[in-house]
Structures are given as structure tokens and as C-alpha cells.
């Protein structure tokens, strides 16, 4: 029986992935900051709910050890925990910046590092990092978030090369828009009292982000969980998995343009 350890399994993609793998007979270590938020995962056979804040290294070591104790091994690590930070970079507070990188970049690095001795000993293992279409292309007023997802893309691509000789794979999931708590309670905003220089362009860009048509091709978390399940089980050496109709369309559009043509398209589209 196979085992997956998932970070950020309380809601959204992580929660949907926990249910998907469980339904296929996997053991699931569903980790989350607040285990009391486990909801329908609590009490399921072959699911252990474990406390894990990915910004806490001692906590990571403990969660990995508890998973090994509960199930005897880990086959797949799903680095899913993450959130968005939006607004003008000039307004970012140090604590916000550090929390964003600690969660979206250092968290996956430290969690991967904690699993690697086990994966190397077995000469097998798969690390799946939840990136974003925002790790392949950029939109305005998301600079720090894009920075974290571009970082995940680069480090995953390099890590895949150094782990392959040890029988360990790395894969990337790149969702477009997903109907989760991402754009609601999880979202953080960069704001600075007295800084109004960006108000007009931010308002203009937000009007494009909020267009009802933009959300029509968003995915449900269960659709992204399906892509994750395929990535974990297709036996291929594929590195990147675009997830969602909108992600496919956005990347195809981006790939058809030069950097400058794409920039001009964004400027027009977001009224900058
Ligand atoms: N939704 C989208 O449009 C979208 C698009 C592309 C990529 N993504 C990526 O998908 C991943 C999951 O997001 P989602 O859409 O499922 O949003 P979500 O419903 O807000 O879920 C985010 C999860 O991350 C957890 N989390 C945040 N900080 C954490 C920390 N320090 N330690 C452990 N867990 C932490 C949250 O836990 P709490 O319940 O404790 O807050 C929650 O379980 C993220 O990496 C995100 O960047 C999302």
C-alpha cells in the first residue's frame, strides 16, 4: 500500500488530494496547521491527521517521523501548502515578505530535505511541488508571489536532475485559477499607509482580475487533485503538469508571444 504526505491538507487542493488518494486506497498523512480543521478527513481509515506548519522545521521533522511510524514509509511528498500575496512591491512589510517565502519556498525545501534520507535509502520517492501558472508567466501586482512560484519551478527542475540517479523524481503541478480559499481568507495584501502612487493602476488592474469572465474556466480543487493523482501514478518522467483549461490557454498564449509582445498585451489588458 502506498503512502502520501500532503502539506496544507485542511482546505482546497490539499484537502481534495487527500480525499482522492484515500479513495484509491493510499495511506494519507494529511498535515495541516490546525488538525482540528481536518473536517471529513478525521477518523478515516488509512488517514492520519498531523500538525504541520511548514515554516517550523522541528514541526516538519516531527510530521515526517510520525508518518513513517504510522505507515512504515512515504512514497510521495506533496508540497501543496501556500498562499498568495498581492499589491505593490514597494508596500511589502518585512514580516509579510518573509512569511511568503517561508511558506511557499523554504517550506517545500525543508519538507523535501526531511524526506530525502528516507527516499534515498529506498532508492525511490516522488516529490510533487504545487507551483502555479504564475510560475511560468507574470501578471501585475503579484511580484512576490510570482517570485516564490518561479523559485519553485527553477529549484524543482534542478533538483530533478540531482535526484534522478538516486531513483527519486520531482514533478510540478501548475494550476490556473482554482475555486478554493486562495482568493479569500488565505490571501495577504501589501499595503502601506500614505502610499497612494499605485492606487490608479492597482484599481485598473483589479478591474481586469475581477472580470466575471476570467473565472469561467477556473477549476475545482478536485480537478487539480486528479492531475496530481495522475502525476503520482502515470509512471512517466514528465516534469510539468499544467492543471486547468485556463492554465493551458494562458501558457499557449504566452508561448506565442515574445517577452515584449506579452508585456504589451498585459499592459493593454490590465489598463496599466
Ligand atoms: N487557488 C488557486 O487559484 C491556485 C492557483 C495556482 C496555484 N495555487 C497553489 O495551490 C496551493 C494550495 O492553495 P489552495 O488553492 O488550495 O488554497 P487554500 O484553500 O487557501 O489552501 C491553502 C492551504 O495552505 C495551508 N497553509 C498556508 N500556510 C501554511 C503553513 N505555514 N503551514 C502549513 N500549511 C499552510 C492552509 O492552511 P490553513 O487552513 O491553516 O490556513 C491551507 O490548507 C498553494 O501552493 C497555491 O499557491 C492555487
Amino acid at each position: 500500500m502506498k503512502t502520501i504526505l500532503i502539506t496544507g491538507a485542511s482546505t482546497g487542493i490539499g484537502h481534495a488530494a487527500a480525499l482522492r488518494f484515500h479513495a484509491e486506497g493510499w495511506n494519507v498523512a494529511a498535515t495541516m496547521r490546525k488538525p482540528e480543521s481536518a473536517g471529513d478527513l478525521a477518523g478515516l481509515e488509512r488517514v492520519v491527521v498531523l500538525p504541520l506548519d511548514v515554516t517550523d522545521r522541528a514541526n516538519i521533522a516531527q510530521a515526517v517521523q510520525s508518518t513513517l511510524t504510522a505507515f512504515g514509509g512515504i512514497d510521495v511528498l506533496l508540497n501543496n501548502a501556500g498562499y498568495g500575496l498581492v499589491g505593490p512591491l514597494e508596500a511589502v512589510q518585512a514580516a509579510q515578505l518573509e512569511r511568503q517565502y517561508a511558506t511557499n519556498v523554504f517550506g517545500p525545501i525543508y519538507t523535501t530535505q526531511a524526506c530525502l534520507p528516507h527516499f534515498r535509502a529506498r532508492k525511490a520517492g516522488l516529490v510533487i511541488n504545487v507551483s502555479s501558472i504564475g510560475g511560468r508567466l507574470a501578471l501585475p501586482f503579484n511580484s512576490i508571489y510570482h517570485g516564490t512560484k518561479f523559485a519553485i519551478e527553477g529549484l524543482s527542475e534542478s533538483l530533478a536532475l540531482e535526484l534522478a540517479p538516486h531513483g527519486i523524481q520531482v514533478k510540478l503541478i501548475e494550476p490556473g485559477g482554482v475555486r478554493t480559499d486562495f482568493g479569500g481568507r488565505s490571501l495577504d495584501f501589501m499595503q502601506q499607509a500614505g502610499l497612494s502612487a499605485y492606487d490608479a493602476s492597482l484599481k485598473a488592474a483589479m478591474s481586469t482580475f475581477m472580470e466575471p469572465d476570467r473565472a469561467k474556466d477556473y477549476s475545482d480543487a478536485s480537478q487539480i487533485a486528479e492531475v496530481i493523482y495522475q502525476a503520482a501514478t502515470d509512471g512517466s518522467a514528465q516534469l510539468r503538469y499544467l492543471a486547468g483549461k485556463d492554465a493551458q490557454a494562458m501558457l499557449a498564449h504566452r508561448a506565442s508571444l515574445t517577452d515584449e509582445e506579452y508585456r504589451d498585451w498585459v499592459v493593454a489588458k490590465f489598463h496599466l
Side-chain angles (χ1 to χ4, degrees):
M1 199 176 288
K2 293 205 163 191
T3 298
I4 184 167
L5 187 158
I6 302 173
T7 66
S10 58
T11 54
I13 296 169
H15 176 258
L19 291 176
R20 183 74 184 93
F21 281 80
H22 176 260
E24 295 293 335
W26 285 55
N27 298 318
V28 178
T31 75
M32 57 194 75
R33 286 190 286 194
K34 296 183 194 129
E36 63 273 21
S37 314
D40 55 4
L41 293 173
L44 285 182
E45 205 189 339
R46 292 178 284 100
V47 174
V48 290
V49 176
L50 299 170
L52 176 53
D53 180 330
V54 299
T55 66
D56 179 337
R57 293 178 69 184
N59 214 195
I60 292 171
Q62 213 164 29
V64 170
Q65 191 49 54
S66 300
T67 305
L68 293 174
T69 303
F71 299 127
I74 300 172
D75 298 279
V76 178
L77 165 64
L78 177 62
N79 283 313
N80 162 75
Y83 69 95
L85 175 61
V86 298
L89 177 143
E90 189 177 338
V92 76
Q93 306 296 311
Q96 281 185 311
L97 176 62
E98 283 159 22
R99 186 172 82 93
Q100 173 78 161
Y101 270 83
T103 307
N104 291 11
V105 183
F106 304 152
I109 293 173
Y110 288 133
T111 311
T112 300
Q113 199 179 34
C115 290
L116 285 180
H118 173 66
F119 287 170
R120 277 191 301 99
R122 308 174 116 198
K123 298 187 170 41
L126 171 61
V127 179
I128 301 181
N129 289 328
V130 178
S131 173
S132 167
I133 189 64
R136 303 290 294 281
L137 54 82
L139 296 173
F141 294 111
N142 281 269
S143 57
I144 309 292
Y145 179 69
H146 283 303
T148 67
K149 294 301 185 182
F150 272 64
I152 282 295
E153 293 274 336
L155 76 85
S156 299
E157 197 168 322
S158 176
L159 185 63
L161 297 170
E162 77 192 42
L163 293 181
H166 298 276
I168 304 164
Q169 281 190 303
V170 180
K171 297 192 173 198
L172 283 157
I173 306 296
E174 301 167 332
V178 193
R179 296 178 202 96
T180 64
D181 292 350
F182 183 85
R185 73 169 178 99
S186 297
L187 202 58
D188 194 8
F189 297 89
M190 298 182 258
Q191 285 163 326
Q192 196 185 96
L195 180 63
S196 57
Y198 300 94
D199 287 359
S201 49
L202 183 57
K203 193 173 166 208
M206 287 315 292
S207 72
T208 299
F209 279 119
M210 303 309 280
E211 277 170 5
D213 245 25
R214 269 185 75 77
K216 77 176 184 338
D217 287 333
Y218 281 8
S219 303
D220 289 324
S222 60
Q223 293 172 280
I224 309 303
E226 182 55 34
V227 176
I228 294 170
Y229 185 73
Q230 293 309 322
T233 57
D234 67 7
S236 82
Q238 187 176 330
L239 175 66
R240 292 189 163 87
Y241 293 74
L242 279 169
K245 205 170 154 186
D246 59 338
Q248 308 270 2
M250 285 167 81
L251 195 68
H253 177 62
R254 175 68 187 88
S256 71
L257 303 175
T258 64
D259 289 352
E260 292 72 25
E261 287 167 344
Y262 175 71
R263 178 198 58 206
D264 294 347
W265 176 83
V266 173
V267 166
K269 179 84 182 162
F270 289 82
H271 320 290
L272 300 174

